[in-house]
Amino acid sequence: MASEDRVLVQDCIDEHMDDFTTYDRAVEVVSSWQSIFSRVYKDELTHFDRFPVMGDNKLTPDFSVLLMEEYGIVAEVKRTFPNDEKPFRKEMDQLMRYDAPLPFKVDSEGTTKVPEKHDILLIVSLEDSFEISKRIQGLLDDNESDVSFDRNLVLVDNAYESADRICRYVFRKLPFENRPFRDEILPEEKRLETIMGLQRKAFSVPPVHFIDYKIRHVLCNDSPPPLYTAVYLWNTIFPNYLSEDDMRIWQRKNPKKNLPIEVNIEKLKSSINEHYIPEGNVRSHWLRKALEFLKAAGFADQTAPNDYEVKFSNLAYSVGPRKLREEGGGEKEIIREYAFLFSRWFCERVLGKKTMPEKTQAKKKTSVVLLEEFSKESPDIKDDSSKQ
Amino acid sequence: MIEAEEPRRLFVNGQRLPLSSLFIAFENYAREDRRYKVSLATFLSTTNPIDLLQDSVVPDYSLSIEEQEDFHICRLSRTIHRANIEGGSRTVQGIFGLYRNNGGNMWTSFTPSGPDFFNHGLLSLLREHRPQITRAYLSSDEIRQIFEEVEMEHNWTITIQKGVQYSYKAEGAINFRKGHFQDLFNEAENEDRYVDKVDFVVKDSIGRRVLHGFISRDCVFYFRFGQFKILKDVFLAKVSDLTEGKNKMFEKRERKFGELALKPIEMEFSEDRFLDISDNERFVKGLSKISAIGLSVMHLNPYLHAKVLDFIDGSTSDIVAINANTIRIVPGFKSSVHSLMRISDGIFRSFDEGIIRTVEPTEHSLGDFLGG
């Protein structure tokens, strides 16, 4: 491959891996809060909804929680906040949609209740938190702005910190230009406002506390990058489609043999939400994006509008350390694992199919665009969710 | 060397032999020929391996089994096809015995039929029956523990004729020449190595050589000289206890569909091993070298979270470094003793050896979540 092509492919891989890592962090942030409410507030917790779809407008915040059946929190986790005014305002519009009576789940069967009070929790990265808080406050203070909240918008920042050789997510309520949690119904010493507001303490969640929730629930209520879903399907779901005879083929005969797996999107969705991710709400279009990704990477064919044949194979021989030559003659060692392998195969195939665009143009194109362009023969299928 | 021919004379058709009669024969042959050895391999089997071997049909393998008094005799022939063999194929054949240890799930196979049959016949046959048949492993600490207990309980002395160590930091085997076994294990501990295999001699309290044997971490043993009963009833009995303990720890850990309960195990290392990204990368590299493993790295820095798919039987696990000296292995919807044994052995060989334990649920309070 020419070195220019190599750079394009590497940029594409880096973009996919960055999206993968960013989403994984969001899953961990949600898992951390689920751990806090499930463990610390187990006596006060009515229900933690990891995949909420709320109200007639089918709002999909990143999580919601109902405490003592009377106080709710609707949360959004924002990895970044846009600088430009219009997209910033769009984010505020989304938050204002939560500023209305909303039905919260009270149990896993789906029974709901509109609590007396709920607040809107916005969790942002530490790096951007003060600036975001100032801008929001600016909008709220501006008499000419139509941005306002009847309920409280509470800002909390998050950072991943190391101390005493233990890493953890740390959540702090911004001390200034912020609103209080209206959780008076909770015991005084356990009130979020007492702990995070008055006492200015941080919630600190190391992996040992959030990992069980991450493993059980896998995703968060945001559309995952197709690579993330594809890796999950390959690792966890597709192996269960194989019989003992299929496994034996790899052991005795041909470890590289592709074993076709027939996948129907709706059946797959039902299976995941019922069996693999309890109380899950994986959407059809998340799965479609992943299957289209695998198709673009050469690991699936579409056989009908909702059906794919996955070429499931034993990729064990591709996994492991590899030395790569670097520009300038050096060498670096990488560990090839599934996320890297799938993104590489996707990028090499998709970029290899096209006349090489200008380097700057290639950098602007996101992999989502590449995926859509590659799979444009696929008929449009109606989505079942409003949230991307 | 007395190999395949001699043992056949022992197995007289029509008469059921006791295992003890073989011991006498092995001991006699060993006295006559210094190069004589009986090779043994232990394994776990959740079902009766006799039934498994009798019922299975493996291409290129031909097996007949005869029941004896307290063990079984198996006659095995295997045709190996390979382009670099003259004529394109060759046949390996021999005889091995099979008995159950102490009525548990651990079995021992043994053969005097030479290394070619042992490796390409017997061990290959066991491999063909994974995961129902699980090869066990011993850590350096466990081998040391066995030697210490044997010395103490019997007032014997165990010395090393030759020991092989491997370093966690560099490639290549390091050989240890004669000395007391504690010197071998101390050296390994101090130099960040693990002990892979040991050729050892046991002397009784008056200096008589009662056993010359061999033990490897993948539960291969040799009897070279002395009392076969000591290898079987002293050393292998302890191996059986350790292996049964692992079996108990690793079995029935799979998640149930539709349920939230997880059944993790943890591995604690004696020192902090996850101090920076290079340690995480070294761990992942070690995982990736386990054969027939699919691997996804969900999170690499600063903490580690990886997903492992075992292509032997479809088992899945999440592996997480929960602090600087502990990893948690969380079996997925499909899990097996075989897979967890492979993964833990793979970690022990490539990264460090630790203590494996189950995880008990704990209550949490507000104080556990404050700080930073």
Side-chain angles (χ1 to χ4, degrees):
Chain A
M1 195 188 291
S3 63
E4 261 193 25
D5 297 346
R6 223 178 270 130
V7 169
L8 283 172
V9 169
Q10 190 57 52
D11 285 349
C12 174
I13 294 171
D14 289 346
E15 186 182 337
H16 277 289
M17 296 300 285
D18 286 345
D19 288 346
F20 185 99
T21 302
T22 302
Y23 188 84
D24 192 68
R25 278 200 71 165
V27 172
E28 290 175 348
V29 167
V30 172
S31 300
S32 296
W33 282 94
Q34 187 169 11
S35 178
I36 292 168
F37 285 115
S38 302
R39 291 181 161 148
V40 177
Y41 293 90
K42 64 180 186 329
D43 294 332
E44 293 82 19
L45 178 66
T46 305
H47 191 72
F48 184 96
D49 192 353
R50 195 175 168 112
F51 298 98
V53 181
M54 304 178 89
D56 296 333
N57 292 328
K58 298 201 184 311
L59 302 176
T60 51
D62 285 322
F63 66 86
S64 71
V65 58
L66 185 63
L67 297 161
M68 300 181 78
E69 293 200 22
E70 293 301 339
Y71 175 69
I73 294 174
V74 169
E76 277 289 335
V77 179
K78 294 290 180 191
R79 280 90 77 180
T80 57
F81 237 75
N83 284 327
D84 295 344
E85 202 175 309
K86 263 195 180 153
F88 189 96
R89 177 54 204 255
K90 197 176 162 196
E91 297 288 352
M92 296 309 299
D93 288 341
Q94 182 195 28
L95 293 171
M96 283 197 291
R97 283 197 283 275
Y98 300 138
D99 189 25
L102 291 174
F104 284 69
K105 265 193 187 167
V106 301
D107 54 35
S108 53
E109 276 79 52
T111 317
T112 58
K113 177 179 179 174
V114 178
E116 197 179 299
K117 279 188 215 173
H118 81 260
D119 290 322
I120 302 154
L121 173 62
L122 176 61
I123 304 168
V124 297
S125 296
L126 175 64
E127 302 90 77
D128 304 324
S129 58
F130 278 108
E131 189 183 328
I132 291 168
S133 143
K134 273 176 68 174
R135 285 184 75 181
I136 290 175
Q137 192 57 41
L139 280 173
L140 293 173
D141 289 342
D142 184 355
N143 291 331
E144 288 176 25
S145 158
D146 60 349
V147 173
S148 69
F149 290 87
D150 291 334
R151 291 153 186 83
N152 282 0
L153 175 65
V154 184
L155 266 72
V156 163
D157 64 36
N158 88 93
Y160 200 78
E161 298 176 1
S162 286
D164 301 325
R165 293 184 173 171
I166 294 178
C167 305
R168 64 201 83 195
Y169 281 101
V170 178
F171 301 98
R172 294 185 182 87
K173 182 168 180 269
L174 269 75
F176 308 112
E177 293 173 309
N178 209 344
R179 298 283 183 275
F181 289 103
R182 295 178 300 149
D183 56 347
E184 296 88 0
I185 198 167
L186 296 178
E188 178 66 36
E189 71 281 3
K190 289 177 88 172
R191 287 189 58 202
L192 294 165
E193 187 54 32
T194 302
I195 297 164
M196 301 186 87
L198 290 172
Q199 295 174 355
R200 301 214 178 158
K201 287 181 180 170
F203 276 111
S204 170
V205 191
V208 69
H209 287 158
F210 70 70
I211 197 63
D212 284 359
Y213 296 94
K214 182 183 179 187
I215 288 170
R216 281 188 197 116
H217 301 284
V218 184
L219 304 171
C220 64
N221 211 25
D222 242 344
S223 179
L227 174 63
Y228 201 90
T229 318
V231 166
Y232 171 65
L233 292 174
W234 204 273
N235 244 314
T236 305
I237 311 293
F238 292 154
N240 289 315
Y241 281 68
L242 301 177
S243 65
E244 278 189 28
D245 286 342
D246 291 331
M247 290 284 175
R248 215 158 278 131
I249 288 173
W250 282 335
Q251 285 175 45
R252 289 193 188 148
K253 291 184 180 170
N254 183 356
K256 298 186 183 183
K257 187 177 169 64
N258 283 340
L259 294 171
I261 291 176
E262 306 296 331
V263 171
N264 172 271
I265 287 184
E266 294 309 310
K267 286 182 183 169
L268 180 63
K269 181 182 88 170
S270 301
S271 178
I272 292 174
N273 289 331
E274 193 180 325
H275 301 305
Y276 291 90
I277 304 180
E279 299 178 44
N281 190 13
V282 171
R283 299 3 172 225
S284 300
H285 71 272
W286 296 2
L287 300 174
R288 182 178 305 283
K289 274 167 55 178
L291 289 164
E292 285 294 319
F293 178 92
L294 287 172
K295 179 178 139 191
F299 286 92
D301 292 317
Q302 188 167 13
T303 53
N306 282 336
D307 296 307
Y308 290 78
E309 183 181 271
V310 173
K311 301 171 193 173
F312 192 66
S313 64
N314 177 352
L315 298 176
Y317 61 92
S318 296
V319 163
R322 292 289 187 278
K323 287 196 163 53
L324 294 182
R325 268 179 302 142
E326 288 188 295
E327 306 257 342
E331 229 180 32
K332 73 171 179 181
E333 189 176 73
I334 59 161
I335 306 295
R336 298 180 354 150
E337 46 78 43
Y338 281 173
F340 170 80
L341 287 168
F342 282 130
S343 62
R344 200 196 79 180
W345 287 323
F346 170 85
C347 293
E348 283 179 351
R349 274 179 64 100
V350 170
L351 289 172
K353 273 188 165 287
K354 306 171 76 62
T355 307
M356 281 304 137
E358 290 293 330
K359 191 170 169 181
T360 49
Q361 282 179 348
K363 275 197 170 170
K364 282 178 191 167
K365 265 194 184 169
T366 67
S367 56
V368 170
V369 172
L370 282 171
L371 179 57
E372 284 171 2
E373 286 180 5
F374 185 79
S375 58
K376 67 183 174 188
E377 302 95 52
S378 303
D380 286 332
I381 303 296
K382 189 175 172 199
D383 288 339
D384 66 342
S385 167
S386 59
K387 180 147 182 170
Q388 279 295 318
Chain B
M1 179 164 51
I2 302 162
E3 286 185 7
E5 289 307 316
E6 288 294 337
R8 288 203 178 94
R9 288 198 257 117
L10 300 173
F11 303 146
V12 179
N13 282 336
Q15 285 187 5
R16 285 191 170 200
L17 287 171
L19 201 46
S20 54
S21 66
L22 286 184
F23 296 175
I24 299 166
F26 293 154
E27 289 164 4
N28 288 339
Y29 290 137
R31 273 195 289 275
E32 290 170 24
D33 185 347
R34 287 181 61 192
R35 293 164 303 164
Y36 181 82
K37 77 179 182 204
V38 178
S39 305
L40 304 91
T42 58
F43 59 88
L44 284 165
S45 183
T46 49
T47 55
N48 189 326
I50 305 299
D51 296 336
L52 177 68
L53 293 173
Q54 271 175 334
D55 295 342
S56 78
V57 175
V58 183
D60 299 325
Y61 288 78
S62 164
L63 183 70
S64 66
I65 303 177
E66 297 164 24
E67 189 177 355
Q68 303 299 317
E69 190 176 299
D70 51 358
F71 73 107
H72 287 74
I73 288 169
C74 309
R75 300 172 200 276
L76 172 66
S77 174
R78 178 194 174 199
T79 306
I80 302 172
H81 299 277
R82 244 191 351 249
N84 62 354
I85 297 174
E86 192 181 330
S89 68
R90 69 181 183 98
T91 301
V92 172
Q93 54 191 24
I95 215 166
F96 69 92
L98 197 53
Y99 70 88
R100 182 180 220 152
N101 290 71
N102 303 331
N105 293 310
M106 195 176 108
W107 294 71
T108 298
S109 56
F110 60 93
T111 180
S113 291
D116 190 37
F117 173 74
F118 181 65
N119 289 312
H120 301 296
L122 171 53
L123 293 186
S124 287
L125 182 71
L126 297 180
R127 241 186 336 266
E128 289 290 342
H129 291 86
R130 299 176 298 183
Q132 296 95 324
I133 283 180
T134 300
R135 293 287 307 281
Y137 74 89
L138 297 166
S139 66
S140 300
D141 272 352
E142 285 168 338
I143 298 175
R144 183 180 204 161
Q145 177 192 329
I146 291 170
F147 284 177
E148 284 175 348
E149 286 175 5
V150 168
E151 268 202 351
M152 197 173 66
E153 288 163 14
H154 300 273
N155 199 22
W156 293 339
T157 306
I158 300 176
T159 53
I160 307 300
Q161 301 298 105
K162 186 179 170 188
V164 176
Q165 305 167 31
Y166 286 95
S167 169
Y168 288 115
K169 299 283 166 62
E171 302 284 332
I174 298 122
N175 293 324
F176 175 90
R177 294 284 169 192
K178 297 184 178 188
H180 189 259
F181 78 87
Q182 293 285 20
D183 296 333
L184 167 72
F185 288 96
N186 286 339
E187 182 184 279
E189 201 174 298
N190 292 336
E191 301 296 326
D192 220 8
R193 301 175 191 152
Y194 67 88
V195 174
D196 189 59
K197 36 177 101 75
V198 179
D199 193 281
F200 65 95
V201 165
V202 182
K203 288 184 178 171
D204 65 12
S205 56
I206 58 173
R208 286 179 304 190
R209 196 165 55 129
V210 295
L211 177 68
H212 180 180
F214 169 96
I215 185 171
S216 77
R217 63 185 293 118
D218 52 2
C219 287
V220 165
F221 309 88
Y222 300 152
F223 167 79
R224 295 190 190 277
F225 177 86
Q227 299 173 41
F228 192 91
K229 205 167 153 45
I230 291 178
L231 180 65
K232 175 182 176 287
D233 294 339
V234 175
F235 287 88
L236 289 186
K238 291 192 181 295
V239 172
S240 176
D241 287 343
L242 289 167
T243 305
E244 294 280 4
K246 283 191 190 114
N247 183 53
K248 221 174 177 127
M249 183 133 42
F250 292 158
E251 65 179 355
K252 298 187 181 127
R253 295 232 155 241
E254 59 278 355
R255 278 182 72 183
K256 294 207 170 22
F257 287 109
E259 294 184 12
L260 293 171
L262 304 175
K263 295 177 193 167
I265 53 174
E266 283 181 358
M267 194 181 282
E268 184 179 357
F269 305 105
S270 57
E271 293 176 21
D272 287 350
R273 292 297 188 195
F274 296 95
L275 296 173
D276 57 41
I277 188 175
S278 64
D279 296 325
N280 297 351
E281 286 173 339
R282 187 166 75 84
F283 184 86
V284 168
K285 185 174 170 180
L287 275 184
S288 73
K289 286 182 173 176
I290 301 173
S291 66
I293 286 284
L295 175 68
S296 305
V297 177
M298 309 305 290
H299 200 128
L300 184 63
N301 185 39
Y303 90 98
L304 170 70
H305 175 195
K307 284 187 179 297
V308 164
L309 166 59
D310 187 335
F311 277 104
I312 300 294
D313 61 8
S315 293
T316 57
S317 302
D318 284 84
I319 300 177
V320 185
I322 58 169
N323 59 43
N325 73 339
T326 309
I327 61 165
R328 184 173 284 187
I329 302 174
V330 187
F333 292 99
K334 197 163 182 187
S335 177
S336 66
V337 171
H338 184 272
S339 182
L340 291 175
M341 198 76 85
R342 271 179 14 98
I343 291 171
S344 53
D345 184 34
I347 294 171
F348 278 17
R349 284 176 195 263
S350 64
F351 186 74
D352 192 13
E353 294 186 343
I355 307 289
I356 302 178
R357 58 174 186 238
T358 53
V359 179
E360 300 304 323
T362 50
E363 290 292 312
H364 294 93
S365 65
L366 180 59
D368 296 322
F369 285 78
L370 293 179

